[in-house]
Amino acid sequence: PTGRPVCAGRRRRRRRRAELSMTQSVVVQVGQCGNQIGCRFWNLVLREHANVNKKGIYDEALSNFFRNVDTRYSDGHGINLTKGLIRTLKARAVLIDMEEGVVNELLQGPLRDVFDSKQLISDVSGSANNWVT
């Protein structure tokens, strides 16, 4: 700090550069609690964007948290779309849990289309209440 005042234009440019640098996020949900909170998070994000984005356009705000995938292609993975109408939104998330129960609830619940099985990491059932002593 030199003691010189920073002009408002320079502050705006710095702020704009900071806004442009973070364009995508990946949410990592770990354990039962993390996955349950994550479920509520994704539900809220979808509802908020639905209220704001009435035309169904894939915009910068959606691209921060979702991939827009055209699943009409037969390779099973689809093609990532960067602009245009929303086809199928896939959350930018990794779900991790030792128990399959909570992850399976997400895959069978109302948000099932938002996640792919490639995003899930789980182990065999029966690992609950394992504590290191």
Side-chain angles (χ1 to χ4, degrees):
T2 61
R4 294 184 299 169
V6 177
C7 70
R10 191 180 309 165
R11 275 193 298 255
R12 277 190 298 255
R13 283 191 300 272
R14 285 183 189 160
R15 191 175 323 128
R16 182 68 183 145
R17 268 187 257 141
E19 290 171 1
L20 290 175
S21 65
M22 186 179 147
T23 58
Q24 297 174 350
S25 302
V26 175
V27 176
V28 179
Q29 301 170 202
V30 180
Q32 180 177 356
C33 182
N35 281 301
Q36 288 174 338
I37 291 171
C39 182
R40 303 303 185 283
F41 169 77
W42 292 112
N43 187 20
L44 178 64
V45 169
L46 286 169
R47 284 188 291 126
E48 284 185 3
H49 281 291
N51 286 335
V52 175
N53 189 348
K54 303 280 186 196
K55 295 181 181 180
I57 302 294
Y58 184 69
D59 59 8
E60 184 178 347
L62 277 173
S63 71
N64 287 332
F65 294 104
F66 296 97
R67 294 179 299 123
N68 189 23
V69 179
D70 191 345
T71 57
R72 295 179 295 174
Y73 297 92
S74 62
D75 66 354
H77 301 294
I79 295 177
N80 287 331
L81 304 172
T82 57
K83 295 182 181 181
L85 292 175
I86 295 171
R87 296 290 182 190
T88 303
L89 292 178
K90 295 294 181 183
R92 297 182 186 279
V94 178
L95 289 66
I96 303 168
D97 199 341
M98 292 295 290
E99 288 279 332
E100 295 175 333
V102 175
V103 173
N104 284 338
E105 284 179 29
L106 286 174
L107 290 178
Q108 296 168 1
L111 295 175
R112 66 184 164 271
D113 295 331
V114 177
F115 302 105
D116 275 334
S117 60
K118 298 179 292 186
Q119 296 171 263
L120 312 174
I121 301 171
S122 65
D123 200 10
V124 293
S125 183
S127 60
N129 294 322
N130 285 340
W131 299 92
V132 176
T133 56

